[in-house]
Amino acid sequence: MEELNQSEIAARLDQLTELSVELSKNRDMPVLLEHILRVAKAMTRADGGTLYRISDDKRFLCFHISINDTLGMYQGGVSGAPIEIPPIPLFDQYGNKTLSSVAAYAANFGLSINIRDIYRADVFNFSGMRNFDAKFNYHSQSFLTVPMQDHEGELIGVLQLINASDPHSGEVCAFSETDQRFIEALSSQAAIAITNQLLMQQLEKLFEALVNMINIGIDAKSPYTGKHCQLVPELTMMLAEAAHECKSGPLADFSMNARDRRELWLAGLLHDCGKITTPVHVVDKSTKLQTIFDRIAVIDTRFEVLKRDATIAALEQKLAAQDLPPAERSARLQQIEAELAQQLQVLQEERDFCRFANIGSESMKKEDIARVNAIAARRWIGPDGLAQNFLNQEEAENLAIPFGTLTPAERQIINDHIVLTIRMLESLPWPRHLKNVPEYAGGHHERMDGRGYPRGLKREQMSVQARLMAIADIFEALTAADRPYKKGKTLSESLHILGKFCLNGHIDPDLFEVFIRDKVYMRFAEKFMDPSQIDEVDEARIPGYPVRPQEGGQA
């Protein structure tokens, strides 16, 4: 084949330049690899070409895409047609480098192999190609095989071209030295671009693995919050996809691409990362008196001491009554027994009340709180022999919690996790395509009316993504069946509560409507909820739904 003239060289340089631009822009690896092969074929006027990728274990060259124009063959790549050719081993069974295959040789030694005619070459084993020719009535002749190596000399793959054609006669000819140099330049560019793509993918995988590692740490502290960290992003993406599909209404302009989805997914995974610092005894506080153990047992012991003291006092009184006349002694003993029985009954009732109050499953009435304070003020003799209040201030404060099991101070500790989440996420140097992660993750405790925390943002100050994550966070918490302080609510109960949240300005009404209308709740329930919680839902009875009147109907 004659050497190229200046115009042909300029044309090839233009092809290389265009490919360089494409390599820097395209993030779709299969499309990118196919484009590389097609440019190489066009540049050398090759009839066929194959691009091999090295296997993960570095022991094989795997056919990634194979094209032959004469035979109309197009396998692998974006075609979707399966590769019917087995991979080429780089090593034999003893671990020695394979030298008989031209592709393996080029890969093992990092050398380009340019063969004018495989039927006249005796260096490599071309029996496979000859069998291929016989099977398909084809004639393989010239071969150019070029290894694709990154900047560190690591093998990325091998580019192989078959049967160059003369630009004037169209006859099959050998690949020229100029062809070889251009394809080597193209392969080098392609290898570096592919390496950059792989590095970016590896960094993204590493980052997501680090995110999951944080959630594993949270899970190790508390299995309850750990599952929450996994389910909130799942529900967030379900609702986000439903919003993305809206073709009309307030959410018609909301859309996401692949990067937007990844950004939101990571924000969902990280939305509670600040809980890694929250004390376990606060996160897992299933009763009011629980710290590292449930201190109701200590209160039980004190009641037993009071009962013992009452019994001892009664016995002492009975001994003192022995000196009384018989008739008077009998009456006195009966009185002592009655008084003791009454005391023991009162103590047992107070003990039962403290146990009930400790659970925190129902709200405390004012008279209940007053009773806690009265019990706290009871005097007893402690282990140190000194008289003291039956309940100390901290114990009384915990038992008198009006709702749930957390004191105001503990509730603040729980709430502070979002502050720390924001601080942690805002301290990271996010790339441009992930810059919104702190805002998305940090807004799930805000309210549409501005009464949320930590920043008191209103609806118009929040992104759609932050608003929909707030719904996902609440709904998952309502339906969660693994929390130590409550039972998981049924589907209908959870939607009823969520509807009230919509009416009182807590959650976004437009997203709430999508959540119900598109049955996002049902998809989540069927995938993640216990079947016993999935009851019949009458959407007409959900408060606040529909948000706006439907055509021809009434709200």
Side-chain angles (χ1 to χ4, degrees):
M1 180 177 180
E2 61 185 40
E3 291 299 313
L4 302 177
N5 58 39
Q6 292 298 317
S7 62
E8 290 173 321
I9 292 176
R12 289 193 176 187
L13 288 173
D14 285 342
Q15 286 179 302
L16 274 179
T17 302
E18 290 175 5
L19 180 63
S20 298
V21 173
E22 180 71 15
L23 292 174
S24 66
K25 288 182 177 180
N26 202 322
R27 295 290 181 268
D28 190 327
M29 185 67 76
V31 172
L32 189 64
L33 293 174
E34 182 165 327
H35 190 62
I36 290 168
L37 178 59
R38 290 188 179 277
V39 170
K41 277 178 75 280
M43 189 179 288
T44 58
R45 291 179 291 276
D47 185 47
T50 300
L51 194 150
Y52 303 87
R53 293 287 302 278
I54 192 166
S55 62
D56 292 337
D57 61 5
K58 311 293 185 185
R59 298 190 61 82
F60 294 91
L61 286 177
C62 301
F63 286 81
H64 181 75
I65 179 172
S66 183
I67 300 174
N68 189 290
D69 295 338
T70 298
L71 296 176
M73 183 180 291
Y74 177 22
Q75 294 180 336
V78 296
S79 72
I83 299 288
E84 299 174 351
I85 312 171
I88 298 173
L90 294 176
F91 303 93
D92 62 20
Q93 58 182 330
Y94 303 108
N96 300 314
K97 293 180 178 179
T98 301
L99 305 179
S100 58
S101 164
V102 63
Y105 189 95
N108 280 323
F109 291 98
L111 298 174
S112 298
I113 310 296
N114 192 343
I115 298 176
R116 300 180 65 85
D117 190 340
I118 66 169
Y119 284 88
R120 296 181 181 180
D122 56 4
V123 180
F124 300 103
N125 180 7
F126 285 106
S127 61
M129 286 307 305
R130 290 166 183 158
N131 292 334
F132 177 88
D133 287 354
K135 180 179 180 180
F136 292 98
N137 193 27
Y138 188 71
H139 182 75
S140 301
Q141 182 173 318
S142 55
F143 263 64
L144 177 60
T145 307
V146 179
M148 300 168 65
Q149 296 173 309
D150 66 13
H151 59 290
E152 294 181 340
E154 283 289 318
L155 183 70
I156 302 299
V158 171
L159 187 61
Q160 191 170 71
L161 301 171
I162 304 173
N163 287 3
S165 61
D166 186 278
H168 304 295
S169 67
E171 296 294 321
V172 174
C173 61
F175 291 93
S176 68
E177 291 184 6
T178 304
D179 288 337
Q180 181 174 327
R181 289 195 297 272
F182 268 102
I183 297 306
E184 286 173 345
L186 181 150
S187 296
S188 178
Q189 278 188 332
I192 292 172
I194 292 170
T195 300
N196 289 339
Q197 293 265 15
L198 293 174
L199 285 173
M200 285 189 288
Q201 291 175 10
Q202 290 167 2
L203 286 173
E204 287 186 352
K205 288 180 180 178
L206 175 62
F207 179 72
E208 186 161 343
L210 289 171
V211 171
N212 284 324
M213 183 181 70
I214 292 173
N215 285 340
I216 288 171
I218 296 173
D219 191 23
K221 288 179 63 179
S222 168
Y224 316 112
T225 54
K227 192 174 182 181
H228 177 75
C229 290
Q230 300 303 318
L231 293 185
V232 167
E234 293 281 358
L235 182 52
T236 295
M237 296 311 299
M238 288 181 183
L239 180 53
E241 291 297 342
H244 171 79
E245 294 298 324
C246 289
K247 304 303 181 186
S248 61
L251 294 167
D253 294 333
F254 176 75
S255 63
M256 299 182 297
N257 57 32
R259 285 194 164 193
D260 296 331
R261 288 177 172 87
R262 179 157 186 81
E263 184 177 39
L264 182 57
W265 171 255
L266 286 173
L269 287 175
L270 287 164
H271 83 285
D272 269 351
C273 65
K275 282 185 178 177
I276 199 167
T277 64
T278 307
V280 178
H281 72 272
V282 176
V283 175
D284 291 357
K285 192 180 182 189
S286 59
T287 64
K288 296 179 181 180
L289 290 173
Q290 182 175 333
T291 51
I292 57 175
F293 70 100
D294 192 347
R295 292 171 296 161
I296 193 65
V298 176
I299 307 302
D300 282 341
T301 302
R302 292 179 196 165
F303 275 113
E304 289 300 321
V305 170
L306 288 181
K307 288 181 177 181
R308 179 206 63 187
D309 289 348
T311 301
I312 292 173
L315 290 173
E316 290 175 343
Q317 291 174 17
K318 287 180 179 180
L319 286 174
Q322 295 303 313
D323 297 332
L324 296 174
E328 189 176 342
R329 182 171 65 241
S330 177
R332 177 59 180 152
L333 291 175
Q334 289 180 3
Q335 179 186 5
I336 293 171
E337 284 291 343
E339 290 174 351
L340 174 61
Q342 184 179 6
Q343 280 184 283
L344 294 178
Q345 182 180 349
V346 169
L347 290 172
Q348 185 61 46
E349 289 174 353
E350 290 182 349
R351 178 180 179 176
D352 292 341
F353 171 76
C354 288
R355 281 182 163 275
F356 168 78
N358 185 46
I359 296 172
S361 59
E362 298 183 13
S363 60
M364 294 279 283
K365 302 175 183 176
K366 289 184 179 180
E367 52 266 34
D368 293 333
I369 295 175
R371 189 176 182 184
V372 168
N373 292 329
I375 293 173
R378 179 189 287 277
R379 303 294 286 178
W380 77 301
I381 305 299
D384 54 5
L386 299 177
Q388 54 193 273
N389 285 349
F390 186 72
L391 300 176
N392 62 36
Q393 183 177 351
E394 191 268 343
E395 291 167 341
E397 179 185 357
N398 273 271
L399 279 178
I401 295 171
F403 302 96
T405 62
L406 299 177
T407 65
E410 290 166 340
R411 173 60 60 187
Q412 188 59 47
I413 291 173
I414 292 289
N415 290 351
D416 281 347
H417 83 272
I418 190 61
V419 176
L420 188 61
T421 293
I422 294 171
R423 283 177 53 197
M424 290 170 65
L425 296 181
E426 288 184 344
S427 70
L428 295 176
W430 295 97
R432 184 172 57 196
H433 66 287
L434 297 176
K435 63 183 176 65
N436 294 312
V437 166
E439 192 261 327
Y440 297 166
H444 66 277
H445 285 302
E446 301 291 350
R447 292 172 50 119
M448 302 306 100
D449 57 11
R451 293 193 292 137
Y453 64 92
R455 291 171 170 167
L457 301 177
K458 291 187 175 181
R459 180 188 185 193
E460 59 270 18
Q461 296 173 290
M462 300 171 62
S463 64
V464 172
Q465 289 87 338
R467 284 181 264 154
L468 61 84
M469 195 177 296
I471 293 177
D473 185 73
I474 294 169
F475 189 75
E476 195 288 323
L478 289 171
T479 58
D482 58 0
R483 302 300 171 88
Y485 47 83
K486 73 171 188 68
K487 294 181 180 179
K489 295 189 179 296
T490 64
L491 196 55
S492 60
E493 288 174 333
S494 301
L495 292 173
H496 187 84
I497 294 171
L498 202 64
K500 288 186 174 180
F501 279 16
C502 176
L503 291 175
N504 68 19
H506 197 127
I507 61 174
D508 184 272
D510 297 327
L511 288 167
F512 173 69
E513 183 166 30
V514 172
F515 188 77
I516 305 299
R517 184 190 66 213
D518 293 359
K519 299 205 169 23
V520 177
Y521 66 87
M522 185 57 72
R523 294 202 297 275
F524 177 81
E526 291 172 347
K527 189 172 182 180
F528 297 109
M529 286 176 62
D530 189 287
S532 64
Q533 294 176 260
I534 305 176
D535 58 352
E536 186 176 350
V537 174
D538 183 356
E539 293 181 356
R541 298 177 66 86
I542 298 175
Y545 180 79
V547 174
R548 56 186 54 77
Q550 301 295 319
E551 252 184 78
Q554 296 181 4

